[in-house]
């Protein structure tokens, strides 16, 4: 019998890539959305799987709806991606962010514990939980956590609840501490996609600048399509554990600009960038660089797509998308 997977946040970047992976492996994929009739499924459509993902209505702020979804889908694996994931917005909507990311995860954990206790559960934890904390300039599973945004704090709560339910009840619940992962399916509000979209618009004469905040932040950027493989592998192990998933290399926003403008033959991008205070955060994370040795050793996972290949893939995709059809 086919395995059943339940993915919350299925319409997002990771939901789309994971759905494609699981469908390829023969799973029945159930994707939770707020409202089936009005869900924006462009990412599933891009991957040509929109008609193969079975949508179910559910809401992380509604315990009863989660119980209904878990009972109806009888999942073997649950992946919790639904979240308010834009860090910058979390200062404005800290209560809603906590309601969804922290208490929402807890509601889902309870629904799985009570109605599908044999299911394996994946919690989307994040490198944002580290803040500026590091061990020898990198972060791994042992690095102390010191979140620097309401978003990161909400994710920290969900992370520890997942660990606590595993330890309290012996359930197969894991957390993946994922560093930034990008793709052409990334939302336009995140810096990588904002840059590749802007670069494509500049090349095509549709825009003359990109407005950005701090260019100094350093991030460990990997390809989302690689990272969903690690999530799946975590749930196939004999023992539930938490893993850091990262590339182990870090770049500044400036480096990303270098690489993206290079793709359209521009070396000096400074005239095309407007520094805009609105995109600066009250507090930012300065440098993230993950050490994923544990995942490489136990899961046999490693990233396949390099930073340069990732930037190229995203710029090319945005150029294709924005070029008028003949
Ligand atoms: O910012 C700087 C910004 O919004 C990256 C989420 O998926 O990854 C993501 O969080 C850096 C920051 O991603 C702009 O200040 C400069 O230092 O692309 P981002 P993020 O905050 O790192 C983690 C792992 C998650 O879990 C999150 O859910 O870029 N930056 N200028 C800018 N960022 C944005 N968005 N827009 C700018 O104009």
């Amino acid at each position: 019998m086919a395995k059943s997977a339940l993915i919350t946040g299925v319409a997002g970047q990771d939901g789309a890539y994971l759905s494609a992976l699981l469908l390829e492996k023969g799973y029945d994929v159930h994707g939770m959305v707020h409202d089936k009739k009005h869900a924006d499924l462009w990412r599933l459509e891009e991957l040509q799987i929109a008609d193969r993902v079975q949508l179910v209505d559910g809401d992380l702020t509604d315990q009863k709806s989660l119980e209904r979804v878990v009972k109806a889908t009888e999942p073997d694996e649950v992946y919790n991606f639904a979240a308010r994931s834009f860090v910058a917005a979390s200062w404005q909507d800290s209560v809603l962010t906590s309601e969804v990311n922290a208490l929402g995860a807890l509601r889902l954990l309870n629904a799985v514990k009570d109605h599908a206790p044999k299911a394996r559960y994946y919690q989307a934890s994040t490198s944002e939980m580290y803040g500026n904390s590091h061990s020898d300039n990198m972060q791994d599973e042992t690095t102390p956590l010191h979140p620097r945004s309401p978003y990161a704090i909400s994710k920290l709560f969900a992370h520890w609840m997942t660990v606590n339910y595993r330890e309290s009840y012996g359930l197969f619940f894991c957390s993946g501490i994922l560093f930034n992962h990008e793709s052409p399916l990334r939302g336009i509000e995140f810096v990588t996609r904002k840059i590749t979209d802007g670069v494509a618009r500049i090349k095509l004469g549709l825009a003359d600048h990109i407005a950005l905040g701090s260019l100094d932040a350093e991030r460990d950027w990997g390809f989302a399509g690689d990272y969903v493989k690690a999530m799946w592998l975590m749930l196939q192990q004999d023992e539930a554990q938490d893993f850091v998933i990262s590339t182990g290399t870090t770049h500044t926003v400036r480096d990303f600009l270098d690489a993206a403008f290079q793709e359209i033959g521009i070396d000096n991008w400074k005239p095309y960038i407007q520094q805009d205070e609105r995109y600066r955060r009250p507090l930012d994370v300065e440098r993230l660089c993950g050490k994923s040795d544990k995942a490489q050793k136990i899961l046999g996972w490693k990233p396949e797509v390099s930073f340069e290949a990732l930037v190229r893939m995203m710029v090319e995709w945005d150029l294709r998308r924005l070029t008028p059809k003949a």
Side-chain angles (χ1 to χ4, degrees):
M1 235 181 53
K3 275 192 180 176
S4 167
L6 170 63
I7 304 176
T8 73
V10 75
Q13 169 188 262
D14 294 3
Y17 282 114
L18 182 72
S19 294
L21 179 76
L22 296 182
L23 286 167
E24 201 181 285
K25 291 184 184 296
Y27 281 64
D28 283 335
V29 177
H30 302 276
M32 194 176 96
V33 288
H34 276 151
D35 179 358
K36 280 196 283 201
K37 287 202 193 77
H38 299 104
D40 183 357
L41 303 176
W42 71 270
R43 294 181 174 91
L44 300 179
E45 281 154 13
E46 276 297 329
L47 300 183
Q48 300 177 346
I49 53 171
D51 53 347
R52 295 170 62 204
V53 172
Q54 302 167 52
L55 298 181
V56 278
D57 281 336
D59 186 333
L60 283 187
T61 65
D62 174 359
Q63 182 72 47
K64 286 266 172 300
S65 78
L66 297 176
E67 288 169 12
R68 203 168 51 237
V69 166
V70 169
K71 281 191 216 162
T73 58
E74 299 183 42
D76 296 296
E77 296 173 13
V78 178
Y79 296 86
N80 183 29
F81 297 159
R84 298 192 58 90
S85 63
F86 188 35
V87 176
S90 73
W91 277 273
Q92 276 85 53
D93 58 16
S94 52
V95 173
L96 184 57
T97 296
S98 307
E99 185 62 60
V100 174
N101 299 2
L103 292 181
L106 178 55
R107 290 186 191 96
L108 183 60
L109 289 168
N110 279 330
V112 176
K113 170 173 81 66
D114 294 340
H115 300 290
K118 291 207 172 71
R120 296 179 168 210
Y121 175 94
Y122 174 87
Q123 173 61 28
S125 288
T126 162
S127 51
E128 284 293 300
M129 299 189 306
Y130 294 115
N132 286 342
S133 167
H134 61 87
S135 327
D136 290 335
N137 260 340
M138 292 185 86
Q139 293 86 18
D140 68 13
E141 294 82 0
T142 65
T143 306
L145 304 171
H146 188 140
R148 276 167 77 81
S149 64
Y151 166 81
I153 294 166
S154 70
K155 283 287 190 175
L156 189 80
F157 176 90
H159 176 75
W160 281 116
M161 285 309 307
T162 305
V163 173
N164 180 261
Y165 271 31
R166 177 171 75 226
E167 293 176 349
S168 303
Y169 303 116
L171 298 166
F172 198 108
F173 285 7
C174 317
S175 254
I177 306 177
L178 268 57
F179 284 60
N180 297 52
H181 43 292
E182 318 294 312
S183 76
L185 304 185
R186 189 60 144 146
I188 209 98
E189 67 274 32
F190 297 96
V191 80
T192 54
R193 206 39 228 307
K194 187 172 174 182
I195 292 172
T196 62
D197 172 78
V199 161
R201 284 177 195 277
I202 289 166
K203 169 77 179 167
L204 297 170
L206 302 171
D208 57 11
H209 74 276
I210 309 172
L212 292 171
S214 160
L215 308 185
D216 298 323
E218 292 174 78
R219 290 290 183 275
D220 180 333
W221 279 298
F223 172 51
D226 286 344
Y227 285 33
V228 297
K229 292 179 191 157
M231 303 172 186
W232 177 77
L233 283 168
M234 280 181 217
L235 298 198
Q236 313 312 311
Q237 303 305 303
D238 292 337
E239 191 194 335
Q241 297 184 55
D242 306 322
F243 292 90
V244 160
I245 302 298
S246 62
T247 72
T249 56
T250 191
H251 294 89
T252 58
V253 174
R254 221 174 246 109
D255 296 334
F256 198 99
L257 284 164
D258 273 339
F261 274 97
Q262 204 74 63
E263 290 301 318
I264 59 163
I266 291 177
D267 290 333
N268 178 19
W269 43 259
K270 290 205 175 71
Y272 298 100
I273 300 305
Q274 254 176 32
Q275 294 269 287
D276 190 329
E277 287 305 309
R278 281 179 307 164
Y279 298 113
R280 283 186 187 270
R281 301 173 183 183
L283 208 59
D284 208 350
V285 171
E286 286 161 19
R287 181 180 198 272
L288 289 169
C289 187
K291 207 188 223 176
S292 57
D293 294 11
K294 181 179 173 189
Q296 304 207 16
K297 185 159 161 251
I298 297 177
L299 305 178
W301 175 87
K302 63 174 174 29
E304 306 284 340
V305 176
S306 68
F307 175 74
E308 292 73 20
L310 174 65
V311 177
R312 182 167 317 124
M313 179 200 307
M314 293 175 68
V315 173
E316 281 176 357
W317 193 85
D318 275 317
L319 277 170
R320 244 193 336 271
R321 182 177 63 88
L322 292 165
T323 301
K325 307 276 172 297

